[in-house]
Amino acid sequence: GPVDTLWIESMNTTLDDNKLLTLLSGERIMMTNQVSLLFEVEDLSQASPATVSRAGMIYLNVEDIGWWPMVTSWLNDPNSRKREDAVLTQTLAAMFDKFMQQCLEFRRRECRELVSTAPLTSVQGTMNLYDCLGTPENGVSPSEGEGYVPMIEMTFLFSLIWSVGATLDEDSRKKFDMFLRELDSRF
């Protein structure tokens, strides 16, 4: 999110060479040279010139990075069962690799959206839907034996269809349907 003006102004002495953190109580804590602070913010529109001059900036354009780092982070989430299940992680990575970029490109080139959505939003939607639907309660469980990988794949495809294809108009949905049928013969 954006920088909170009051909070970041109180951090100015920490950000400069003094590395002195002043708490609301008035207590001062000297940071060692080994301490570095990293803030990830949406923008610096609310920050003062004094704050901006003390901060080193790294600008990462979403278009340059793409969606894959977000998926990698999602697959390696330490609070998720995906990290502990190599079959699940490998299958999902393969499905993202096989389908996502092609579907996003097809939507951009060949389809009309009722409400325009950014590629990252569609990827996030796919991950959110999969998190909701890809549960043992819905049959996505290693206890399914040989049916486990197909259930992962079908749940992924359902999530992909209802995120990437969710905002398409009726004619574009038909095109998207045919495109997916060409990519995967299971349909």
Side-chain angles (χ1 to χ4, degrees):
V3 172
D4 179 84
T5 54
L6 297 175
W7 180 81
I8 200 67
E9 289 302 322
S10 68
M11 294 296 290
N12 277 344
T13 57
T14 309
L15 295 172
D16 66 17
D17 291 338
N18 296 329
K19 288 194 170 184
L20 184 65
L21 175 64
T22 305
L23 302 177
L24 290 175
S25 64
E27 183 180 352
R28 294 176 177 213
I29 301 172
M30 183 64 99
M31 300 293 193
T32 64
N33 288 333
Q34 292 80 17
V35 175
S36 295
L37 300 174
L38 176 69
F39 303 101
E40 183 177 348
V41 296
E42 181 180 340
D43 60 47
L44 293 172
S45 64
Q46 302 299 314
S48 71
T51 301
V52 173
S53 68
R54 288 177 171 92
M57 305 294 158
I58 300 173
Y59 175 72
L60 301 173
N61 186 353
V62 173
E63 307 302 320
D64 295 334
I65 296 173
W67 52 265
W68 193 250
M70 186 170 65
V71 171
T72 303
S73 176
W74 177 69
L75 291 172
N76 294 317
D77 180 3
N79 299 321
S80 168
R81 70 183 182 100
K82 291 182 290 291
R83 186 170 178 159
E84 298 165 2
D85 187 341
V87 172
L88 177 62
T89 302
Q90 290 169 357
T91 304
L92 286 171
M95 295 297 284
F96 270 101
D97 191 45
K98 179 179 179 181
F99 290 99
M100 186 57 74
Q101 189 60 42
Q102 291 185 73
C103 289
L104 291 171
E105 280 298 311
F106 182 82
R107 181 182 74 182
R108 186 182 64 79
R109 284 184 283 110
E110 305 291 333
C111 299
R112 186 174 159 274
E113 290 184 272
L114 297 170
V115 176
S116 180
T117 53
L120 281 178
T121 303
S122 297
V123 172
Q124 184 67 53
T126 302
M127 294 185 301
N128 290 345
L129 277 172
Y130 189 87
D131 280 340
C132 292
L133 301 172
T135 63
E137 295 81 18
N138 290 332
V140 183
S141 171
S143 65
E144 296 297 319
E146 290 183 21
Y148 183 43
V149 171
M151 282 300 293
I152 295 170
E153 294 172 343
M154 297 306 284
T155 305
F156 171 85
L157 289 170
F158 182 88
S159 302
L160 175 99
I161 290 165
W162 286 105
S163 58
V164 175
T167 59
L168 300 178
D169 67 10
E170 189 172 342
D171 290 337
S172 294
R173 285 184 180 198
K174 290 175 185 173
K175 288 182 197 175
F176 191 65
D177 176 59
M178 292 307 295
F179 175 74
L180 279 173
R181 289 174 191 271
E182 289 173 12
L183 284 180
D184 195 311
S185 61
R186 287 180 279 195
F187 294 113

